[in-house]
Every structure is written in C-alpha cells, then in structure tokens.
Amino acid sequence: MSSPEDWYKSLPVITKYYFTAACATTVLVSFQLVSPALLFLDLNLVFGKFQIWRLVTNFLFFGKFSMPFLFQIVILVRYFKLLESGYYEGERGTADFAFLCLIGMVVMTIIAYFWEGLFFLGPSLTFMVLYVWSRKDPYTPINFWGFDFQAWHLPFVLLVFGLLMGSDPVLDIVGICVGHFYHFLADICPRVYGRTVLATPQFLVNLFTHRGVHRPAAGWRQGTGHRQGRPCKANEDKDRGGNEDENEAKKNEG
C-alpha cells in the first residue's frame, strides 16, 4: 500500500501544481491569512487598478474546508490526473495539457466579462477537464454509486448530482460548454475537417522541455536497447560479427 507521499509524487506535473495551489489557497483563507476579497475575479480591478493576479487566483479558491470543497478537489485530482497521464504524457504532452488549461482559463474569463456573478472559476475549469476526458474515450463503461453508464454521460451525471446536493449548476454548465468548445477545436476539426485550429505555442513547449518535465528513464524505448522479444539491429550486427570471427579462428586452427 503506497503512502500519501508516494501518491503525491505520482501525480503528473500540472495536476500536482494545481492541487497544491488549490489546497494552499484554502488553508490561507481558512486561517484568515488571505481574504477571499483579494482572490475573486473582478475585471474592473484587473484593468482599472492592475490587480492582474485575480486572473489566476480566482481559479485557485474552491471555498473553505467543507463537503463541497472535498467534492471539487476529488474531481480535480481524479480527472486532471486521468487526462494528463492518459493522453498528455511526456514533455510535449505536458505543454499541450498546460495549453488546454490556459485556453479554458482565457475563454472562461471572457465569459465572466459578459456574465456577471462569476467570481471563482475553479469548478468550471475542473468540469472542463472532466468533459474533455469523457470525450477522449466516450464509450468507456463507468460505475457511479451502483449506476452503470458511459464516460460521456459522466459530466451530466455529476451536474445532476450537484443539483441534488443544492449547489449552483452555473459553473458546471460553463465548464461543460468550454470543454465542448475545446473538444471541437482540438479533436473534431482535425479529424473531420482536416484542419488544425489549436497548436501549442512554442514557448510552452520550450518551457517544459528545457526543464526536463516527465523525462523518461532510459529503457527499451531509448538508446541502443531492444524492443521486447526482438534484439536491436546494433546487437544483431555485433553478434553476427562475433560469430564470424570465431568461425575464422576455428578454420585457421584446422
């Protein structure tokens, strides 16, 4: 059985950073070291008083310690991890996943400009990631509290579940809509229309590549190793050359 430390270390990079930042923000607010008034999204303060940190901090606060907070954190960790580790592996994958989150944050901020009352958009971002994951393999069977359904149903099941718990569905609906917007541009357009609409900026690729994020250890996929069950060509040539030298030596002795 793995320890909490092992579990934490096993989290992918973006998931780990976001989970840590969200928990740290909640701790700071709960101990009254930081006021939520400094965190919520207010574009008038962002552009009028240059409080640009609000563009980020509104995604980090999920409320004080409570059942709704735990519910949101479980969704964050589980589906960020499933999407990042399952479909965005390696250095380039981490950059692509960071770009996914960045696109979501920008689009949600634009929506908040026209839709008043959206002060903390963290739940929307987690629902966006949940929706994108559900569309990667939409027919995967899912079991939720004894009910069986397919993966693409999950965002809507959790939306209804949240309604039954008395939560406001607006943020979840925003996340689903933005998730579908990203899914259409990133997955449907290249496959159906043959056009690449979204491409990860090179500066993000360079950022994660130069830092060695998720650099895999040397193994059968790298270097002069060999694939399972079949020696690599370099080893075959070496063995063939060694056998020829041995045969030549025997012939000279004879």
Side-chain angles (χ1 to χ4, degrees):
M1 183 176 181
S2 60
S3 65
E5 181 181 1
D6 293 333
W7 170 82
Y8 180 77
K9 290 181 178 179
S10 70
L11 294 176
V13 175
I14 303 299
T15 304
K16 182 187 298 182
Y17 286 168
Y18 192 22
F19 168 67
T20 303
C23 290
T25 302
T26 296
V27 169
L28 292 174
V29 172
S30 297
F31 286 96
Q32 299 182 352
L33 299 175
V34 174
S35 171
L38 296 174
L39 305 177
F40 73 88
L41 180 63
D42 186 334
L43 294 176
N44 293 324
L45 295 176
V46 170
F47 297 111
K49 296 189 176 181
F50 207 60
Q51 297 181 5
I52 58 175
W53 66 82
R54 295 179 183 272
L55 295 173
V56 176
T57 56
N58 79 91
F59 290 96
L60 302 180
F61 185 58
F62 291 84
K64 296 183 179 181
F65 290 112
S66 61
M67 286 303 297
F69 167 79
L70 292 177
F71 182 69
Q72 290 293 339
I73 289 298
V74 168
I75 294 178
L76 186 160
V77 173
R78 177 168 177 77
Y79 294 103
F80 264 72
K81 180 180 179 181
L82 285 175
L83 185 61
E84 184 177 0
S85 62
Y87 300 95
Y88 293 92
E89 293 182 311
E91 296 170 347
R92 180 56 191 251
T94 300
D96 292 339
F97 189 66
F99 185 56
L100 180 156
C101 295
L102 185 61
I103 288 291
M105 293 169 68
V106 171
V107 175
M108 290 172 193
T109 302
I110 295 174
I111 292 175
Y113 177 79
F114 296 99
W115 192 340
E116 294 184 0
L118 301 180
F119 299 119
F120 294 102
L121 294 170
S124 296
L125 185 59
T126 59
F127 249 76
M128 174 197 172
V129 169
L130 166 63
Y131 182 87
V132 173
W133 170 83
S134 73
R135 302 303 302 181
K136 291 294 185 181
D137 194 1
Y139 302 110
T140 299
I142 298 291
N143 183 278
F144 182 75
W145 282 17
F147 295 96
D148 294 322
F149 47 86
Q150 296 175 340
W152 71 273
H153 297 134
L154 184 60
F156 306 100
V157 171
L158 293 180
L159 175 63
V160 173
F161 181 75
L163 277 172
L164 295 177
M165 293 182 62
S167 63
D168 188 348
V170 171
L171 293 176
D172 298 343
I173 293 173
V174 170
I176 290 174
C177 292
V178 176
H180 187 73
F181 172 75
Y182 177 87
H183 169 64
F184 178 80
L185 295 181
D187 298 327
I188 295 179
C189 282
R191 184 172 65 248
V192 177
Y193 303 105
R195 295 182 179 180
T196 300
V197 180
L198 295 178
T200 304
Q202 189 60 42
F203 80 89
L204 277 179
V205 177
N206 294 339
L207 175 66
F208 290 102
T209 301
H210 292 166
R211 291 190 177 187
V213 176
H214 282 315
R215 189 176 300 279
W220 67 273
R221 293 183 184 273
Q222 290 184 302
T224 59
H226 59 276
R227 294 185 178 273
Q228 293 176 343
R230 181 178 178 182
C232 68
K233 190 176 186 305
N235 290 338
E236 289 179 347
D237 294 342
K238 182 178 179 180
D239 293 340
R240 187 183 299 112
N243 292 336
E244 290 176 356
D245 292 341
E246 184 178 350
N247 293 335
E248 185 67 23
K250 291 181 179 180
K251 185 183 295 184
N252 293 334
E253 291 176 358

